[in-house]
Short mmCIF file of all heavy atoms in Angstrom, two decimals:
data_model
loop_
_atom_site.label_atom_id
_atom_site.label_comp_id
_atom_site.label_asym_id
_atom_site.label_seq_id
_atom_site.Cartn_x
_atom_site.Cartn_y
_atom_site.Cartn_z
N ALA A 313 365.35 110.33 95.68
CA ALA A 313 365.90 110.68 94.37
C ALA A 313 365.27 109.84 93.26
O ALA A 313 364.89 108.69 93.46
CB ALA A 313 367.41 110.47 94.37
N ARG A 314 365.20 110.42 92.08
CA ARG A 314 364.63 109.72 90.93
C ARG A 314 365.58 108.62 90.46
O ARG A 314 365.14 107.54 90.08
CB ARG A 314 364.34 110.70 89.80
CG ARG A 314 363.78 110.05 88.55
CD ARG A 314 363.27 111.08 87.57
NE ARG A 314 362.11 111.77 88.10
CZ ARG A 314 361.53 112.79 87.48
NH1 ARG A 314 362.01 113.24 86.34
NH2 ARG A 314 360.46 113.36 88.01
N PHE A 315 366.87 108.90 90.42
CA PHE A 315 367.83 107.85 90.07
C PHE A 315 368.95 107.82 91.11
O PHE A 315 369.13 108.76 91.87
CB PHE A 315 368.39 108.02 88.65
CG PHE A 315 369.15 109.28 88.41
CD1 PHE A 315 370.52 109.33 88.59
CD2 PHE A 315 368.51 110.43 87.96
CE1 PHE A 315 371.23 110.48 88.35
CE2 PHE A 315 369.22 111.60 87.72
CZ PHE A 315 370.58 111.62 87.92
N ASN A 316 369.65 106.70 91.14
CA ASN A 316 370.64 106.43 92.19
C ASN A 316 369.99 106.54 93.57
O ASN A 316 370.58 107.04 94.52
CB ASN A 316 371.83 107.39 92.08
CG ASN A 316 373.04 106.89 92.87
OD1 ASN A 316 373.19 105.70 93.10
ND2 ASN A 316 373.89 107.81 93.29
N ASN A 317 368.77 106.04 93.65
CA ASN A 317 368.02 106.08 94.90
C ASN A 317 368.61 105.08 95.89
O ASN A 317 368.90 103.94 95.53
CB ASN A 317 366.55 105.75 94.61
CG ASN A 317 365.65 105.95 95.81
OD1 ASN A 317 365.73 105.21 96.78
ND2 ASN A 317 364.78 106.94 95.73
N GLN A 318 368.76 105.50 97.15
CA GLN A 318 369.44 104.68 98.15
C GLN A 318 368.48 104.00 99.13
O GLN A 318 368.91 103.53 100.19
CB GLN A 318 370.42 105.55 98.93
CG GLN A 318 371.51 106.17 98.08
CD GLN A 318 372.37 105.13 97.40
OE1 GLN A 318 372.93 104.25 98.06
NE2 GLN A 318 372.49 105.20 96.09
N PHE A 319 367.20 103.93 98.78
CA PHE A 319 366.24 103.33 99.71
C PHE A 319 366.62 101.90 100.10
O PHE A 319 366.61 101.54 101.28
CB PHE A 319 364.83 103.34 99.10
CG PHE A 319 363.84 102.52 99.90
CD1 PHE A 319 363.27 103.03 101.05
CD2 PHE A 319 363.51 101.22 99.51
CE1 PHE A 319 362.39 102.27 101.81
CE2 PHE A 319 362.63 100.46 100.26
CZ PHE A 319 362.06 100.98 101.41
N GLU A 320 366.93 101.08 99.11
CA GLU A 320 367.23 99.67 99.39
C GLU A 320 368.42 99.53 100.33
O GLU A 320 368.45 98.64 101.19
CB GLU A 320 367.48 98.91 98.09
CG GLU A 320 366.27 98.84 97.15
CD GLU A 320 365.12 98.05 97.75
OE1 GLU A 320 365.35 97.27 98.69
OE2 GLU A 320 363.98 98.23 97.28
N LEU A 321 369.41 100.39 100.16
CA LEU A 321 370.59 100.34 101.02
C LEU A 321 370.22 100.56 102.48
O LEU A 321 370.65 99.82 103.37
CB LEU A 321 371.60 101.40 100.57
CG LEU A 321 372.88 101.52 101.41
CD1 LEU A 321 373.71 100.25 101.30
CD2 LEU A 321 373.69 102.73 100.95
N TYR A 322 369.39 101.56 102.72
CA TYR A 322 368.96 101.85 104.10
C TYR A 322 368.00 100.79 104.62
O TYR A 322 368.07 100.38 105.78
CB TYR A 322 368.31 103.23 104.17
CG TYR A 322 369.29 104.36 104.23
CD1 TYR A 322 369.72 105.01 103.08
CD2 TYR A 322 369.81 104.80 105.45
CE1 TYR A 322 370.63 106.05 103.13
CE2 TYR A 322 370.72 105.85 105.52
CZ TYR A 322 371.13 106.46 104.35
OH TYR A 322 372.04 107.49 104.42
N ALA A 323 367.09 100.35 103.75
CA ALA A 323 366.06 99.39 104.19
C ALA A 323 366.67 98.06 104.61
O ALA A 323 366.12 97.36 105.47
CB ALA A 323 365.05 99.18 103.07
N ARG A 324 367.80 97.69 104.00
CA ARG A 324 368.46 96.44 104.39
C ARG A 324 369.01 96.50 105.81
O ARG A 324 369.21 95.47 106.45
CB ARG A 324 369.60 96.12 103.41
CG ARG A 324 369.13 95.58 102.07
CD ARG A 324 370.27 94.92 101.31
NE ARG A 324 371.31 95.87 100.95
CZ ARG A 324 371.34 96.53 99.79
NH1 ARG A 324 370.38 96.35 98.90
NH2 ARG A 324 372.32 97.37 99.52
N ARG A 325 369.26 97.70 106.29
CA ARG A 325 369.85 97.86 107.62
C ARG A 325 368.80 97.97 108.72
O ARG A 325 369.12 97.87 109.90
CB ARG A 325 370.73 99.12 107.65
CG ARG A 325 371.89 99.08 106.67
CD ARG A 325 372.60 100.42 106.63
NE ARG A 325 373.70 100.42 105.68
CZ ARG A 325 374.38 101.52 105.33
NH1 ARG A 325 374.04 102.69 105.86
NH2 ARG A 325 375.36 101.45 104.46
N GLY A 326 367.56 98.22 108.33
CA GLY A 326 366.50 98.36 109.32
C GLY A 326 365.39 99.25 108.80
O GLY A 326 365.48 99.78 107.69
N PRO A 327 364.33 99.42 109.58
CA PRO A 327 363.19 100.23 109.13
C PRO A 327 363.59 101.66 108.79
O PRO A 327 364.47 102.24 109.43
CB PRO A 327 362.25 100.19 110.34
CG PRO A 327 362.63 98.97 111.10
CD PRO A 327 364.11 98.83 110.90
N LEU A 328 362.92 102.20 107.78
CA LEU A 328 363.13 103.59 107.39
C LEU A 328 361.80 104.31 107.59
O LEU A 328 360.76 103.85 107.09
CB LEU A 328 363.56 103.66 105.93
CG LEU A 328 364.10 105.00 105.43
CD1 LEU A 328 365.38 105.37 106.17
CD2 LEU A 328 364.36 104.94 103.93
N MET A 329 361.84 105.41 108.31
CA MET A 329 360.60 106.09 108.68
C MET A 329 360.65 107.58 108.35
O MET A 329 361.73 108.17 108.27
CB MET A 329 360.33 105.92 110.18
CG MET A 329 360.19 104.48 110.60
SD MET A 329 359.78 104.33 112.35
CE MET A 329 359.70 102.54 112.50
N VAL A 330 359.48 108.14 108.16
CA VAL A 330 359.35 109.58 107.97
C VAL A 330 358.51 110.13 109.12
O VAL A 330 357.43 109.61 109.42
CB VAL A 330 358.67 109.91 106.62
CG1 VAL A 330 358.32 111.40 106.55
CG2 VAL A 330 359.59 109.54 105.46
N LEU A 331 359.05 111.15 109.75
CA LEU A 331 358.35 111.84 110.85
C LEU A 331 357.92 113.20 110.34
O LEU A 331 358.74 114.00 109.90
CB LEU A 331 359.28 111.99 112.05
CG LEU A 331 358.75 112.85 113.21
CD1 LEU A 331 357.55 112.17 113.87
CD2 LEU A 331 359.85 113.12 114.23
N MET A 332 356.63 113.46 110.39
CA MET A 332 356.09 114.75 109.97
C MET A 332 355.67 115.52 111.21
O MET A 332 354.90 115.01 112.04
CB MET A 332 354.92 114.55 109.01
CG MET A 332 355.29 113.70 107.80
SD MET A 332 353.92 113.38 106.66
CE MET A 332 353.73 115.00 105.92
N THR A 333 356.19 116.74 111.33
CA THR A 333 355.92 117.59 112.49
C THR A 333 355.27 118.88 112.02
O THR A 333 355.18 119.14 110.82
CB THR A 333 357.23 117.91 113.24
OG1 THR A 333 357.95 118.91 112.49
CG2 THR A 333 358.10 116.66 113.39
N PRO A 334 354.84 119.74 112.93
CA PRO A 334 354.24 121.01 112.51
C PRO A 334 355.21 121.91 111.75
O PRO A 334 354.78 122.81 111.02
CB PRO A 334 353.82 121.66 113.84
CG PRO A 334 353.64 120.51 114.77
CD PRO A 334 354.69 119.51 114.37
N SER A 335 356.52 121.68 111.89
CA SER A 335 357.50 122.59 111.29
C SER A 335 358.31 122.01 110.15
O SER A 335 358.84 122.75 109.32
CB SER A 335 358.47 123.10 112.36
OG SER A 335 359.14 122.01 112.97
N ASP A 336 358.43 120.67 110.06
CA ASP A 336 359.30 120.09 109.03
C ASP A 336 359.02 118.59 108.91
O ASP A 336 358.23 118.03 109.66
CB ASP A 336 360.77 120.33 109.39
CG ASP A 336 361.71 120.22 108.18
OD1 ASP A 336 361.21 119.95 107.07
OD2 ASP A 336 362.92 120.40 108.36
N ARG A 337 359.70 117.99 107.94
CA ARG A 337 359.69 116.54 107.78
C ARG A 337 361.08 116.00 108.11
O ARG A 337 362.09 116.63 107.76
CB ARG A 337 359.34 116.16 106.34
CG ARG A 337 357.90 115.79 106.12
CD ARG A 337 357.65 115.45 104.67
NE ARG A 337 357.97 116.57 103.79
CZ ARG A 337 358.01 116.48 102.47
NH1 ARG A 337 357.79 115.32 101.88
NH2 ARG A 337 358.29 117.53 101.74
N TYR A 338 361.11 114.82 108.72
CA TYR A 338 362.38 114.21 109.11
C TYR A 338 362.37 112.75 108.67
O TYR A 338 361.31 112.11 108.61
CB TYR A 338 362.58 114.28 110.62
CG TYR A 338 362.63 115.69 111.16
CD1 TYR A 338 361.45 116.38 111.46
CD2 TYR A 338 363.84 116.35 111.34
CE1 TYR A 338 361.47 117.67 111.94
CE2 TYR A 338 363.88 117.65 111.83
CZ TYR A 338 362.69 118.31 112.12
OH TYR A 338 362.73 119.60 112.59
N GLN A 339 363.56 112.25 108.38
CA GLN A 339 363.69 110.84 108.04
C GLN A 339 364.55 110.15 109.09
O GLN A 339 365.64 110.63 109.42
CB GLN A 339 364.31 110.65 106.66
CG GLN A 339 364.35 109.19 106.22
CD GLN A 339 364.65 109.04 104.74
OE1 GLN A 339 363.78 108.75 103.93
NE2 GLN A 339 365.89 109.26 104.37
#
Side-chain angles (χ1 to χ4, degrees):
R314 179 170 293 175
F315 62 91
N316 197 26
N317 188 291
Q318 299 299 305
F319 170 79
E320 296 296 340
L321 177 65
Y322 279 93
R324 284 196 295 268
R325 299 173 181 171
L328 193 64
M329 300 184 180
V330 170
L331 173 66
M332 304 178 73
T333 76
S335 59
D336 201 359
R337 262 179 301 171
Y338 299 85
Q339 185 166 255

